[in-house]
Amino acid sequence: MAAPLTARRGAGDAGGRRVLLLPPLLLALLLARPAGALVEGLYCGTWDCYEVLGVSRAASKAEIARAYRQLARRYHPDRYRPEPGDPGPGRTPQSAEEAFLLVATAYETLKDEETRKDYDYMLDHPEEYYSHYYHYYRRRLAPRVDVRIVILVSVCAISVFQFFSWWNSYNKAINYLATVPKYRIQAMEIAKEQGLLRKAKEKGRNKKSKEEIRDEEENIIKNIIKSKVDIKGGYQKPQIRDLLLFQILLAPVHLCSYIVWYCRWVYNFNIKGKEYGEEERLYLIRKSMKMSKSQFDSLEDHQKETFLKRELWIKENYEVYKQEQEEELKQKLANNPRWKRYRRWMRNEGPGRLTFVDD
């Protein structure tokens, strides 16, 4: 039978010292820290977890588990029967429930090697008050599942969502292009040249209904558009390498590639003074326009040729081009009837005016 539950007192006598002679900061620290190792709110509180279970500090896991099972059966609220002369807190059903919870807390503290190590350190070093609080709540509030598994599952879930979202956007773009006469007519001509539409209208045993023929022709046109049209930007065909999971896995490769590219740029253009090639010029223009790579790639080829002809990679030329674009936008807005109505409304009935209805 395990030993009865007994309290362990702290051995503090700091109140008897002549604290008036101490500096104010040291006085505050002494008053803030308890004198004993057992602190209310940490582990078993003011009880010693070893004495709660009736084992020594050198007890093995098997001895701790055996003592816990004995005390749990003894103090379980549904099975507790007070014995004559039973000391300790378990004298009434209410105190037996408290004792049962205390026994469970002691067992949870001592059954884990890391928690037991922190508890032993607290008993041996009672002066490290704040460190004990930190270790206790770090283990208590730490997630039960490995954080690496949580991060991996989250990244995989985001990647799957990205893939299906991009496919949805890509299919929407294909469906829209199939309704544009320019692309639809070209796709139908290619399908006729390849004989794909005749196969869809085969008769005989494989005769199909009009709806089936129409759906099959529509799929043929969409497949031709997919193979012939290069969609760029936010509606481009999704690539596996663009997913978050693969971007994280390839991050070291991208970082090394960027370092190599940057060193070559500095060596070729800053040190040796070489002239920029077409790719470098487009890169400088994109940076001046503050556009992402996908946004810049979605521009038409004739627009990029215009940028190169005007030498917009030169800062002065780009500033002139920017002013021209702003003036052109102002001119368009000035001649736009909707913009005129909006300005008239802002001047007469816009924000800052109070209007009243007579009726």
Side-chain angles (χ1 to χ4, degrees):
M1 184 66 65
L5 304 174
T6 57
R8 178 176 178 177
R9 298 179 181 177
D13 56 352
R17 300 177 181 177
R18 296 183 179 180
V19 295
L20 297 177
L21 300 178
L22 295 175
L25 180 60
L26 183 58
L27 175 63
L29 291 175
L30 289 175
L31 292 178
R33 296 183 179 183
L38 303 177
V39 182
E40 188 68 36
L42 295 183
Y43 304 104
C44 298
T46 55
W47 296 82
D48 189 324
C49 293
Y50 290 102
E51 294 184 2
V52 167
L53 296 179
V55 296
S56 65
R57 291 184 60 173
S60 62
K61 280 188 175 182
E63 294 174 346
I64 292 174
R66 184 166 55 252
Y68 165 72
R69 287 193 296 269
Q70 293 176 356
L71 291 173
R73 286 195 299 268
R74 177 180 180 184
Y75 289 108
H76 195 282
D78 297 336
R79 303 176 57 183
Y80 176 70
R81 296 293 181 272
E83 300 177 1
D86 186 12
R91 297 179 180 178
T92 63
Q94 292 80 10
S95 60
E97 183 177 357
E98 295 176 359
F100 180 78
L101 295 176
L102 184 60
V103 169
T105 302
Y107 177 66
E108 291 293 330
T109 301
L110 300 181
K111 75 174 184 178
D112 183 70
E113 290 292 339
E114 297 297 328
T115 308
R116 183 177 180 181
K117 189 182 298 183
D118 292 341
Y119 183 71
D120 291 341
Y121 187 84
M122 185 187 76
L123 295 179
D124 297 333
H125 303 83
E127 69 280 358
E128 298 183 14
Y129 176 73
Y130 299 106
S131 176
H132 303 325
Y133 263 97
Y134 167 74
H135 289 290
Y136 173 77
Y137 283 104
R138 187 191 66 174
R139 297 195 182 279
R140 185 178 181 85
L141 301 178
R144 300 300 180 185
V145 184
D146 193 347
V147 178
R148 294 170 294 183
I149 297 178
V150 175
I151 294 175
L152 179 61
V153 172
S154 301
V155 171
C156 292
I158 294 173
S159 300
V160 171
F161 176 78
Q162 277 183 326
F163 185 76
F164 284 104
S165 176
W166 289 346
W167 261 112
N168 186 36
S169 300
Y170 177 71
N171 290 328
K172 284 183 178 179
I174 295 297
N175 293 335
Y176 170 75
L177 293 176
T179 61
V180 178
K182 173 184 175 182
Y183 300 104
R184 188 176 185 86
I185 293 173
Q186 293 179 3
M188 291 184 67
E189 292 177 354
I190 294 174
K192 289 178 181 178
E193 292 176 0
Q194 297 178 356
L196 299 176
L197 295 181
R198 288 195 301 270
K199 294 180 180 179
K201 297 180 180 179
E202 287 181 353
K203 298 181 179 180
R205 296 180 179 179
N206 298 327
K207 187 177 181 180
K208 304 175 183 177
S209 64
K210 293 183 179 179
E211 293 182 357
E212 292 177 347
I213 294 174
R214 185 165 53 250
D215 293 340
E216 189 170 346
E217 289 179 351
E218 194 70 21
N219 291 331
I220 291 172
I221 292 172
K222 290 180 180 178
N223 290 331
I224 293 175
I225 292 175
K226 288 180 181 180
S227 61
K228 299 297 181 181
V229 178
D230 185 16
I231 302 176
K232 298 180 180 179
Y235 293 92
Q236 65 183 358
K237 187 176 182 179
Q239 302 291 334
I240 296 295
R241 64 175 180 269
D242 295 331
L243 298 178
L244 178 61
L245 177 62
F246 290 90
Q247 287 292 314
I248 294 175
L249 295 177
L250 297 176
V253 178
H254 294 325
L255 180 60
C256 295
S257 301
Y258 175 77
I259 294 174
V260 173
W261 172 86
Y262 183 77
C263 293
R264 287 180 178 176
W265 183 284
V266 172
Y267 176 74
N268 291 327
F269 304 116
N270 294 356
I271 298 177
K272 298 185 68 173
K274 288 185 178 180
E275 292 186 3
Y276 296 122
E278 181 177 340
E279 184 178 352
E280 289 77 14
R281 292 171 181 176
L282 290 175
Y283 170 77
L284 293 174
I285 293 172
R286 179 169 67 86
K287 287 299 181 182
S288 299
M289 292 182 174
K290 298 180 180 179
M291 299 175 65
S292 64
K293 191 175 186 303
S294 59
Q295 291 174 331
F296 193 78
D297 290 342
S298 62
L299 298 177
E300 299 291 340
D301 292 336
H302 67 86
Q303 291 179 292
K304 297 178 182 179
E305 292 176 0
T306 303
F307 297 158
L308 294 173
K309 288 180 181 179
R310 300 197 58 173
E311 299 182 353
L312 297 186
W313 66 88
I314 302 174
K315 187 176 181 180
E316 292 76 11
N317 295 345
Y318 176 74
E319 293 296 333
V320 173
Y321 172 80
K322 185 178 179 181
Q323 292 179 359
E324 292 177 358
Q325 293 297 314
E326 291 176 354
E327 292 296 331
E328 184 178 351
L329 179 60
K330 290 180 181 178
Q331 189 68 25
K332 288 182 179 179
L333 292 176
N335 297 329
N336 191 342
R338 296 180 62 184
W339 177 250
K340 290 181 179 180
R341 288 197 299 269
Y342 174 73
R343 291 175 59 189
R344 193 181 306 116
W345 178 82
M346 289 293 293
R347 183 173 60 254
N348 298 331
E349 301 178 4
R353 286 183 172 272
L354 293 176
T355 57
F356 298 90
V357 181
D358 296 335
D359 56 356

